[in-house]
Amino acid sequence: MKTIVHLLRHGEVHNPEKVLYGRLPGYRLSDRGQQQALTVAEAVAGHDLIYVVASPLQRAQETAAPIAAAHRLDVATDERLIEAANQFEGERVAVGDGALRQPKHWPKLRDPFTPSWGEPYVEIAHRMLGAVYRAAEAAEGHEALCVSHQLPIWTLRRFLEAKRLWHDPRKRQCSLASLTSLVFDDRELREIVYSEPAGATDPKVTGA
C-alpha cells in the first residue's frame, strides 16, 4: 500500500526588519508568499490528498489554507511541526550583523553540533517524525501534506537519510514553498523526492 507524506515549507514571510522570527507570533505571509501558496495548491490539485496539517504558526496556516480548500479539507494543526526553538528570536543574525557581533551572545554559540543556541537537532527530528507518522496513518493509501518550516524539514530529511544532523545552513535543499515528499510502501520509507513548484530561493532566509 503506497502512502505519500509531503512536507511543505511555508511561503515567503513579511519581515521588513529582517529578524529571525522563529516562533514569534504575528508573522504572516508576504504578497509573494501568498502567491507561492496558490502556486503549490495548483501544483498538487490533481494529487490524492485527504489530509492537510500545519504548524500552529500563522505563516504555515496561511500556506496550508488554499491547498486544503482546493481539496475541500479542513486544516488540522500539529504542534510537532512548529519551527525550532531559538534563543536569537527577534534579533538580526546575518553574519557580521546584529546579535552575532555582541559579546553577550557569544556563549550561545559554544556548541554548533547540538546546537547550543536552540532546540537540539535530534529532538527536532524525533518530533517531526512523530508528526509524519501521524499524517501517514491519517492518509494511509493516499497522500497527506504537512506544512512546516525549513530547519525542521531539513533536519528530518537528514535524519531519514542517516546523515549527521549538524550542517551548513547555506547548503539546505529546502526552498520557500518547496515539497519534500516521503513515499511509503506498507509504512516502510522507500523514497524521498524533492521539488520546487514555486521556484528556488536562498536557503539562508532567516527565521524560516
Side-chain angles (χ1 to χ4, degrees):
M1 183 178 294
K2 183 177 180 179
T3 303
I4 302 176
V5 178
H6 304 282
L7 295 169
L8 171 63
R9 182 185 172 191
H10 62 78
E12 182 184 81
V13 174
H14 180 69
N15 180 22
E17 300 86 9
K18 293 184 171 25
V19 299
L20 191 152
Y21 39 84
R23 295 180 177 181
L24 296 176
Y27 280 88
R28 59 176 176 81
L29 292 182
S30 65
D31 291 343
R32 182 184 180 209
Q34 293 173 13
Q35 184 57 54
Q36 288 170 334
L38 291 172
T39 298
V40 176
E42 293 172 359
V44 301
H47 286 240
D48 185 24
L49 285 177
I50 66 168
Y51 184 68
V52 175
V53 60
S55 154
L57 295 175
Q58 182 176 347
R59 57 193 183 273
Q61 294 282 323
E62 290 178 350
T63 301
I67 299 165
H71 289 83
R72 299 183 180 180
L73 298 170
D74 293 326
V75 178
T77 299
D78 192 327
E79 295 282 346
R80 292 172 294 186
L81 295 172
I82 199 168
E83 176 63 290
N86 194 304
Q87 295 181 44
F88 288 101
E89 283 182 356
E91 303 276 0
R92 293 174 63 97
V93 294
V95 174
D97 183 28
L100 299 184
R101 299 183 64 181
Q102 301 175 33
K104 68 178 181 179
H105 291 304
W106 294 349
K108 299 175 185 176
L109 305 174
R110 66 188 181 278
D111 175 15
F113 308 109
T114 300
S116 53
W117 57 81
E119 184 179 8
Y121 292 127
V122 68
E123 292 183 11
I124 297 171
H126 287 170
R127 65 171 168 83
M128 287 291 291
L129 190 59
V132 164
Y133 282 150
R134 172 66 185 91
E137 180 181 12
E140 190 170 14
H142 303 274
E143 298 180 43
L145 185 139
C146 306
V147 185
S148 187
H149 309 267
Q150 186 192 60
L151 177 55
I153 294 172
W154 184 242
T155 300
L156 175 61
R157 178 173 168 182
R158 293 185 68 86
F159 180 82
L160 293 173
E161 292 176 339
K163 296 179 180 178
R164 66 169 188 256
L165 300 185
W166 60 271
H167 58 275
D168 183 343
R170 298 169 297 180
K171 297 182 179 180
R172 293 173 185 162
Q173 188 184 47
C174 193
S175 290
L176 290 166
S178 63
L179 289 166
T180 300
S181 302
L182 310 180
V183 182
F184 294 90
D185 184 5
D186 287 335
R187 300 193 178 185
E188 183 175 346
L189 181 63
R190 295 293 188 183
E191 187 179 12
I192 300 176
V193 180
Y194 177 77
S195 60
E196 297 173 346
T201 58
D202 188 341
K204 294 180 291 184
V205 174
T206 58

